[in-house]
Amino acid sequence: MTPMPISRRQFVYAAVATGFAAAASAAPLVRRRKGYGAAVTLDDLQAEPRLAQAINQYCTEIVPVYELKWGPLRPSRDAFAFERADALLAFAEGNRLKMRGHNLVWYYGLPDWTKDIHSAAEAERELVHHIETVASHYRGRLTSWDVVNEPIPDWAPTPEARRDCLWSSFLGQRYIELAFRTAHAADPDVRLVVNEYDVEHVGPRFEKKRAALRRLVFDLLDAGAPLHAVGLQCHLRGATPIDRDGVSAFVAEMRGEGLDVYVTELDVIDQDLPAAPAARDAIVAAQVEAVLEAVTAPAPLDTLLTWGLSDRFTWMTQTLPRADHIPNRPLPLDADFQPKPFMATIERFTRAAA
Ligand code: G3I
Protein backbone atom coordinates (compact mmCIF):
# COMPACT_ATOMS: atom_id res chain seq x y z
CA MET A 1 0.00 0.00 0.00
CA THR A 2 1.46 3.40 -1.01
CA PRO A 3 2.05 5.38 2.23
CA MET A 4 -0.34 8.32 2.41
CA PRO A 5 1.53 11.66 2.22
CA ILE A 6 1.24 13.46 5.57
CA SER A 7 0.00 17.02 5.39
CA ARG A 8 1.10 19.71 7.82
CA ARG A 9 -2.29 19.39 9.49
CA GLN A 10 -1.82 15.64 9.87
CA PHE A 11 1.62 16.25 11.34
CA VAL A 12 0.17 18.71 13.84
CA TYR A 13 -2.60 16.32 14.86
CA ALA A 14 -0.17 13.43 15.23
CA ALA A 15 2.21 15.61 17.23
CA VAL A 16 -0.62 16.71 19.48
CA ALA A 17 -1.77 13.13 19.96
CA THR A 18 1.75 11.94 20.61
CA GLY A 19 2.13 14.78 23.06
CA PHE A 20 -0.77 13.20 24.92
CA ALA A 21 1.39 10.10 25.09
CA ALA A 22 4.06 11.91 27.08
CA ALA A 23 1.53 13.63 29.33
CA ALA A 24 -0.57 10.54 29.79
CA SER A 25 2.15 7.98 30.19
CA ALA A 26 2.83 9.48 33.60
CA ALA A 27 -0.50 7.98 34.72
CA PRO A 28 -0.07 4.86 36.90
CA LEU A 29 -0.85 1.67 34.96
CA VAL A 30 -1.81 -0.12 38.14
CA ARG A 31 -5.47 -0.55 37.23
CA ARG A 32 -5.28 -0.80 33.44
CA ARG A 33 -7.88 -3.45 32.59
CA LYS A 34 -7.23 -6.07 29.91
CA GLY A 35 -9.91 -5.90 27.24
CA TYR A 36 -11.53 -2.75 28.62
CA GLY A 37 -11.72 0.35 26.46
CA ALA A 38 -13.49 3.67 26.10
CA ALA A 39 -14.81 5.86 23.31
CA VAL A 40 -13.09 9.21 22.92
CA THR A 41 -12.97 12.21 20.59
CA LEU A 42 -9.85 14.12 19.63
CA ASP A 43 -11.57 17.34 20.75
CA ASP A 44 -12.13 15.91 24.23
CA LEU A 45 -8.54 14.68 24.51
CA GLN A 46 -7.30 18.13 23.54
CA ALA A 47 -9.72 19.88 25.94
CA GLU A 48 -8.93 17.86 29.05
CA PRO A 49 -5.51 16.34 29.96
CA ARG A 50 -7.13 14.26 32.71
CA LEU A 51 -8.95 12.27 30.01
CA ALA A 52 -5.72 10.94 28.48
CA GLN A 53 -4.44 10.14 31.96
CA ALA A 54 -7.62 8.29 32.92
CA ILE A 55 -7.62 6.34 29.66
CA ASN A 56 -4.06 5.27 30.38
CA GLN A 57 -4.95 4.38 33.93
CA TYR A 58 -7.92 2.14 33.20
CA CYS A 59 -8.04 1.21 29.51
CA THR A 60 -6.23 -0.95 27.01
CA GLU A 61 -8.25 0.19 23.97
CA ILE A 62 -9.98 3.24 22.54
CA VAL A 63 -12.59 3.75 19.86
CA PRO A 64 -13.16 7.07 18.08
CA VAL A 65 -16.63 8.43 18.85
CA TYR A 66 -16.78 10.33 15.60
CA GLU A 67 -13.60 10.63 13.56
CA LEU A 68 -14.03 7.42 11.54
CA LYS A 69 -17.61 8.11 10.48
CA TRP A 70 -18.62 9.15 6.96
CA GLY A 71 -19.42 12.73 8.01
CA PRO A 72 -15.97 13.76 9.23
CA LEU A 73 -14.05 11.29 7.06
CA ARG A 74 -15.63 12.20 3.72
CA PRO A 75 -15.95 15.97 3.30
CA SER A 76 -16.52 15.41 -0.42
CA ARG A 77 -16.98 12.51 -2.82
CA ASP A 78 -13.31 12.66 -3.80
CA ALA A 79 -11.77 13.29 -0.37
CA PHE A 80 -10.82 11.20 2.66
CA ALA A 81 -9.88 13.30 5.71
CA PHE A 82 -7.96 10.77 7.81
CA GLU A 83 -5.89 13.17 9.91
CA ARG A 84 -8.15 13.31 12.98
CA ALA A 85 -8.62 9.55 13.14
CA ASP A 86 -4.89 9.14 12.44
CA ALA A 87 -4.17 11.42 15.41
CA LEU A 88 -6.31 9.21 17.66
CA LEU A 89 -4.47 6.14 16.37
CA ALA A 90 -1.16 7.91 17.07
CA PHE A 91 -2.38 8.59 20.62
CA ALA A 92 -3.35 4.93 21.02
CA GLU A 93 -0.11 3.54 19.60
CA GLY A 94 1.93 6.09 21.57
CA ASN A 95 0.31 4.82 24.78
CA ARG A 96 0.39 1.06 24.14
CA LEU A 97 -3.38 1.14 23.61
CA LYS A 98 -5.27 -0.73 20.93
CA MET A 99 -7.91 0.94 18.79
CA ARG A 100 -11.06 -0.38 17.16
CA GLY A 101 -12.91 1.16 14.21
CA HIS A 102 -16.43 2.59 14.31
CA ASN A 103 -18.01 2.43 11.77
CA LEU A 104 -17.77 1.59 8.06
CA VAL A 105 -21.50 1.65 7.25
CA TRP A 106 -24.32 3.38 9.14
CA TYR A 107 -27.73 4.61 8.08
CA TYR A 108 -27.05 7.89 9.97
CA GLY A 109 -24.72 10.83 9.46
CA LEU A 110 -24.01 10.48 5.75
CA PRO A 111 -22.48 13.60 4.16
CA ASP A 112 -24.71 15.67 1.88
CA TRP A 113 -22.89 14.66 -1.30
CA THR A 114 -24.26 11.12 -0.88
CA LYS A 115 -27.67 12.58 -1.80
CA ASP A 116 -26.27 12.76 -5.36
CA ILE A 117 -26.05 8.97 -5.56
CA HIS A 118 -28.83 7.98 -7.97
CA SER A 119 -28.30 4.38 -9.08
CA ALA A 120 -27.49 0.94 -7.72
CA ALA A 121 -24.23 0.87 -9.67
CA GLU A 122 -23.19 4.23 -8.20
CA ALA A 123 -24.24 3.20 -4.68
CA GLU A 124 -22.23 0.00 -4.90
CA ARG A 125 -19.22 1.86 -6.30
CA GLU A 126 -19.25 4.46 -3.51
CA LEU A 127 -19.88 1.94 -0.74
CA VAL A 128 -17.12 -0.39 -1.92
CA HIS A 129 -14.70 2.49 -2.56
CA HIS A 130 -15.25 3.87 0.94
CA ILE A 131 -14.78 0.56 2.70
CA GLU A 132 -11.77 -0.44 0.57
CA THR A 133 -10.04 2.91 1.11
CA VAL A 134 -10.71 3.22 4.84
CA ALA A 135 -10.09 -0.41 5.79
CA SER A 136 -6.91 -0.43 3.68
CA HIS A 137 -5.67 2.79 5.28
CA TYR A 138 -5.82 1.14 8.74
CA ARG A 139 -4.90 -2.38 7.61
CA GLY A 140 -3.17 -4.30 10.38
CA ARG A 141 -3.52 -1.50 12.95
CA LEU A 142 -7.04 -1.92 14.37
CA THR A 143 -8.42 -4.78 16.46
CA SER A 144 -11.90 -4.76 14.92
CA TRP A 145 -14.36 -2.77 12.84
CA ASP A 146 -18.03 -2.14 13.36
CA VAL A 147 -18.66 -2.91 9.70
CA VAL A 148 -22.42 -2.30 9.74
CA ASN A 149 -23.86 -0.27 12.59
CA GLU A 150 -27.52 -0.56 13.64
CA PRO A 151 -28.99 -2.49 10.68
CA ILE A 152 -32.16 -3.44 12.63
CA PRO A 153 -35.07 -1.00 12.95
CA ASP A 154 -36.24 0.10 16.39
CA TRP A 155 -39.50 -1.76 15.80
CA ALA A 156 -38.84 -5.16 14.20
CA PRO A 157 -42.22 -6.82 13.61
CA THR A 158 -40.61 -9.92 12.12
CA PRO A 159 -37.12 -11.46 12.39
CA GLU A 160 -36.61 -10.52 8.76
CA ALA A 161 -37.00 -6.78 9.55
CA ARG A 162 -34.09 -4.61 8.43
CA ARG A 163 -33.58 -0.86 8.77
CA ASP A 164 -34.00 1.10 5.56
CA CYS A 165 -31.02 3.23 4.56
CA LEU A 166 -29.41 4.83 1.51
CA TRP A 167 -27.60 1.62 0.69
CA SER A 168 -30.60 -0.70 1.04
CA SER A 169 -32.71 1.64 -1.11
CA PHE A 170 -30.42 0.93 -4.07
CA LEU A 171 -28.89 -2.46 -3.26
CA GLY A 172 -31.47 -4.15 -1.05
CA GLN A 173 -30.21 -5.95 2.03
CA ARG A 174 -27.25 -7.39 0.09
CA TYR A 175 -25.37 -4.22 1.02
CA ILE A 176 -24.64 -5.81 4.41
CA GLU A 177 -22.89 -8.92 3.05
CA LEU A 178 -21.13 -6.75 0.46
CA ALA A 179 -19.79 -4.51 3.25
CA PHE A 180 -18.40 -7.45 5.20
CA ARG A 181 -16.78 -9.06 2.17
CA THR A 182 -15.25 -5.75 1.07
CA ALA A 183 -13.83 -5.03 4.52
CA HIS A 184 -12.37 -8.53 4.78
CA ALA A 185 -10.69 -8.24 1.40
CA ALA A 186 -9.15 -4.89 2.43
CA ASP A 187 -7.94 -6.09 5.84
CA PRO A 188 -8.07 -9.89 6.21
CA ASP A 189 -6.91 -9.88 9.84
CA VAL A 190 -9.21 -7.31 11.45
CA ARG A 191 -12.22 -8.71 13.30
CA LEU A 192 -15.50 -7.75 11.62
CA VAL A 193 -18.50 -6.87 13.77
CA VAL A 194 -22.20 -6.19 13.32
CA ASN A 195 -23.14 -3.69 16.04
CA GLU A 196 -26.62 -3.08 17.52
CA TYR A 197 -28.42 -1.47 20.44
CA ASP A 198 -31.65 -2.08 22.39
CA VAL A 199 -31.36 -5.88 22.45
CA GLU A 200 -30.59 -6.13 26.19
CA HIS A 201 -33.88 -5.43 27.97
CA VAL A 202 -37.09 -7.20 28.92
CA GLY A 203 -40.06 -6.37 26.69
CA PRO A 204 -41.44 -7.15 23.23
CA ARG A 205 -39.63 -4.28 21.52
CA PHE A 206 -36.22 -5.49 22.69
CA GLU A 207 -36.99 -9.20 22.26
CA LYS A 208 -38.13 -8.62 18.66
CA LYS A 209 -35.07 -6.53 17.89
CA ARG A 210 -32.83 -9.26 19.33
CA ALA A 211 -34.65 -11.86 17.20
CA ALA A 212 -34.09 -9.76 14.08
CA LEU A 213 -30.40 -9.34 14.93
CA ARG A 214 -30.17 -13.11 15.41
CA ARG A 215 -31.80 -13.67 12.00
CA LEU A 216 -29.38 -11.27 10.33
CA VAL A 217 -26.42 -13.02 11.94
CA PHE A 218 -27.58 -16.41 10.68
CA ASP A 219 -28.31 -15.01 7.22
CA LEU A 220 -24.72 -13.73 7.09
CA LEU A 221 -23.27 -17.00 8.43
CA ASP A 222 -25.39 -19.06 6.00
CA ALA A 223 -24.05 -16.90 3.15
CA GLY A 224 -20.49 -17.49 4.30
CA ALA A 225 -19.93 -13.80 5.02
CA PRO A 226 -16.76 -12.97 7.03
CA LEU A 227 -18.58 -12.07 10.27
CA HIS A 228 -16.47 -12.53 13.40
CA ALA A 229 -18.36 -10.88 16.24
CA VAL A 230 -21.63 -9.38 17.38
CA GLY A 231 -21.40 -6.00 19.10
CA LEU A 232 -23.95 -5.35 21.83
CA GLN A 233 -23.84 -1.60 22.25
CA CYS A 234 -25.45 -1.76 25.72
CA HIS A 235 -26.74 1.80 25.95
CA LEU A 236 -28.74 0.51 28.91
CA ARG A 237 -32.00 2.08 30.02
CA GLY A 238 -31.60 2.70 33.74
CA ALA A 239 -35.17 1.89 34.73
CA THR A 240 -35.86 -1.08 32.44
CA PRO A 241 -34.91 -4.58 33.63
CA ILE A 242 -32.17 -6.44 31.79
CA ASP A 243 -33.40 -9.60 30.08
CA ARG A 244 -30.78 -11.79 31.75
CA ASP A 245 -32.04 -15.10 30.37
CA GLY A 246 -32.71 -13.70 26.91
CA VAL A 247 -29.30 -12.04 26.66
CA SER A 248 -27.47 -15.11 28.00
CA ALA A 249 -29.27 -17.39 25.55
CA PHE A 250 -28.49 -15.03 22.66
CA VAL A 251 -24.81 -14.79 23.62
CA ALA A 252 -24.53 -18.56 24.09
CA GLU A 253 -26.02 -19.14 20.64
CA MET A 254 -23.65 -16.62 19.03
CA ARG A 255 -20.65 -18.20 20.72
CA GLY A 256 -21.96 -21.60 19.69
CA GLU A 257 -21.64 -20.41 16.10
CA GLY A 258 -18.02 -19.48 16.73
CA LEU A 259 -18.66 -15.76 17.01
CA ASP A 260 -17.18 -13.40 19.57
CA VAL A 261 -19.53 -11.13 21.49
CA TYR A 262 -18.32 -7.62 22.32
CA VAL A 263 -19.86 -5.00 24.60
CA THR A 264 -19.13 -1.97 22.47
CA GLU A 265 -20.80 1.20 23.86
CA LEU A 266 -21.74 0.53 27.47
CA ASP A 267 -23.33 3.34 29.44
CA VAL A 268 -26.60 3.79 31.35
CA ILE A 269 -29.32 6.25 30.37
CA ASP A 270 -30.21 7.83 33.72
CA GLN A 271 -32.99 10.22 32.71
CA ASP A 272 -35.58 8.30 34.76
CA LEU A 273 -33.33 7.56 37.74
CA PRO A 274 -33.25 9.38 41.09
CA ALA A 275 -31.44 12.70 41.16
CA ALA A 276 -29.30 11.87 44.20
CA PRO A 277 -25.85 10.82 42.92
CA ALA A 278 -25.30 7.91 45.31
CA ALA A 279 -28.70 6.38 44.62
CA ARG A 280 -28.36 6.92 40.88
CA ASP A 281 -24.81 5.53 40.76
CA ALA A 282 -25.94 2.41 42.61
CA ILE A 283 -28.73 1.75 40.13
CA VAL A 284 -26.38 2.41 37.20
CA ALA A 285 -23.85 -0.08 38.60
CA ALA A 286 -26.61 -2.64 39.20
CA GLN A 287 -27.76 -2.41 35.59
CA VAL A 288 -24.18 -2.81 34.39
CA GLU A 289 -23.69 -5.79 36.71
CA ALA A 290 -26.89 -7.40 35.41
CA VAL A 291 -25.97 -7.09 31.74
CA LEU A 292 -22.35 -8.17 32.26
CA GLU A 293 -23.48 -11.20 34.27
CA ALA A 294 -25.85 -12.10 31.43
CA VAL A 295 -23.28 -11.56 28.69
CA THR A 296 -20.51 -13.44 30.49
CA ALA A 297 -22.65 -16.38 31.69
CA PRO A 298 -21.68 -18.42 28.59
CA ALA A 299 -18.04 -17.26 28.49
CA PRO A 300 -15.77 -14.41 29.64
CA LEU A 301 -15.80 -11.12 27.73
CA ASP A 302 -12.65 -10.23 25.87
CA THR A 303 -13.84 -6.85 24.58
CA LEU A 304 -15.77 -4.40 26.74
CA LEU A 305 -15.90 -0.70 25.93
CA THR A 306 -17.85 2.11 27.51
CA TRP A 307 -19.11 4.98 25.40
CA GLY A 308 -16.90 7.48 27.11
CA LEU A 309 -15.01 7.21 30.41
CA SER A 310 -16.02 10.27 32.45
CA ASP A 311 -19.44 11.88 32.89
CA ARG A 312 -17.69 15.08 31.75
CA PHE A 313 -17.86 13.75 28.19
CA THR A 314 -21.07 11.89 27.40
CA TRP A 315 -23.38 12.10 24.41
CA MET A 316 -26.30 12.14 26.83
CA THR A 317 -25.63 15.74 27.85
CA GLN A 318 -26.77 16.87 24.41
CA THR A 319 -29.07 14.01 23.42
CA LEU A 320 -30.66 12.64 26.61
CA PRO A 321 -30.57 15.37 29.27
CA ARG A 322 -32.56 14.89 32.45
CA ALA A 323 -35.80 16.85 32.89
CA ASP A 324 -34.42 18.27 36.15
CA HIS A 325 -31.36 19.50 34.22
CA ILE A 326 -29.07 17.73 36.70
CA PRO A 327 -26.02 16.41 34.79
CA ASN A 328 -26.16 12.82 33.56
CA ARG A 329 -24.05 10.21 35.37
CA PRO A 330 -23.88 7.35 32.80
CA LEU A 331 -20.19 6.40 32.88
CA PRO A 332 -17.57 4.70 35.14
CA LEU A 333 -15.88 7.95 36.26
CA ASP A 334 -17.62 11.08 37.48
CA ALA A 335 -17.06 14.51 35.94
CA ASP A 336 -13.97 14.92 38.12
CA PHE A 337 -12.58 11.61 36.87
CA GLN A 338 -13.21 9.84 40.18
CA PRO A 339 -14.30 6.18 39.98
CA LYS A 340 -17.93 5.33 40.75
CA PRO A 341 -19.45 1.91 41.55
CA PHE A 342 -19.72 1.42 37.75
CA MET A 343 -15.91 1.24 37.53
CA ALA A 344 -15.74 -1.29 40.37
CA THR A 345 -18.20 -3.42 38.41
CA ILE A 346 -16.03 -3.23 35.30
CA GLU A 347 -13.05 -4.30 37.37
CA ARG A 348 -14.98 -7.36 38.55
CA PHE A 349 -15.57 -8.44 34.95
CA THR A 350 -12.11 -7.68 33.58
CA ARG A 351 -8.57 -8.69 34.54
CA ALA A 352 -5.65 -6.44 35.28
CA ALA A 353 -3.52 -6.15 32.18
CA ALA A 354 0.03 -7.48 32.34
O1 G3I B 1 -16.33 17.50 16.38
C1 G3I B 1 -17.32 18.49 16.07
C2 G3I B 1 -16.88 19.85 16.60
O2 G3I B 1 -15.68 20.26 15.92
C3 G3I B 1 -18.00 20.86 16.38
O3 G3I B 1 -17.63 22.10 16.94
C4 G3I B 1 -19.28 20.34 17.04
C5 G3I B 1 -20.46 21.27 16.85
O4 G3I B 1 -20.93 21.15 15.54
O5 G3I B 1 -19.63 19.06 16.45
C6 G3I B 1 -18.64 18.10 16.71
O6 G3I B 1 -19.03 16.88 16.13
C7 G3I B 1 -20.09 16.22 16.83
C8 G3I B 1 -19.57 14.83 17.26
O7 G3I B 1 -20.63 14.06 17.84
C9 G3I B 1 -18.40 14.90 18.24
O8 G3I B 1 -18.82 15.49 19.43
C10 G3I B 1 -21.24 16.05 15.84
O9 G3I B 1 -21.79 17.31 15.53
C11 G3I B 1 -22.32 15.16 16.45
O10 G3I B 1 -23.32 14.85 15.48
C12 G3I B 1 -21.68 13.83 16.90
O11 G3I B 1 -22.70 13.06 17.53
C13 G3I B 1 -22.29 11.70 17.80
C14 G3I B 1 -23.33 10.76 17.16
O12 G3I B 1 -23.00 9.39 17.45
C15 G3I B 1 -23.40 10.92 15.65
O13 G3I B 1 -22.14 10.63 15.08
C16 G3I B 1 -22.26 11.48 19.30
O14 G3I B 1 -21.23 12.28 19.88
C17 G3I B 1 -21.97 10.01 19.57
O15 G3I B 1 -22.00 9.74 20.95
C18 G3I B 1 -23.00 9.12 18.87
O16 G3I B 1 -22.60 7.81 19.08
C19 G3I B 1 -23.52 6.78 18.63
C20 G3I B 1 -22.70 5.66 18.01
O17 G3I B 1 -21.92 6.16 16.94
C21 G3I B 1 -23.61 4.52 17.56
N1 G3I B 1 -24.44 4.02 18.69
C22 G3I B 1 -25.23 5.09 19.33
C23 G3I B 1 -24.31 6.20 19.83
C24 G3I B 1 -25.07 7.27 20.58
O18 G3I B 1 -25.97 7.92 19.72
Side-chain angles (χ1 to χ4, degrees), residues 41 43 65-66 69 84 102-103 106 108 149-150 195 197 233 235 265 307 315:
T41 72
D43 279 351
V65 165
Y66 189 56
K69 293 173 175 174
R84 294 182 69 82
H102 172 82
N103 50 62
W106 194 18
Y108 181 83
N149 192 48
E150 304 172 0
N195 193 42
Y197 68 94
Q233 291 186 11
H235 290 296
E265 304 183 20
W307 202 244
W315 61 289

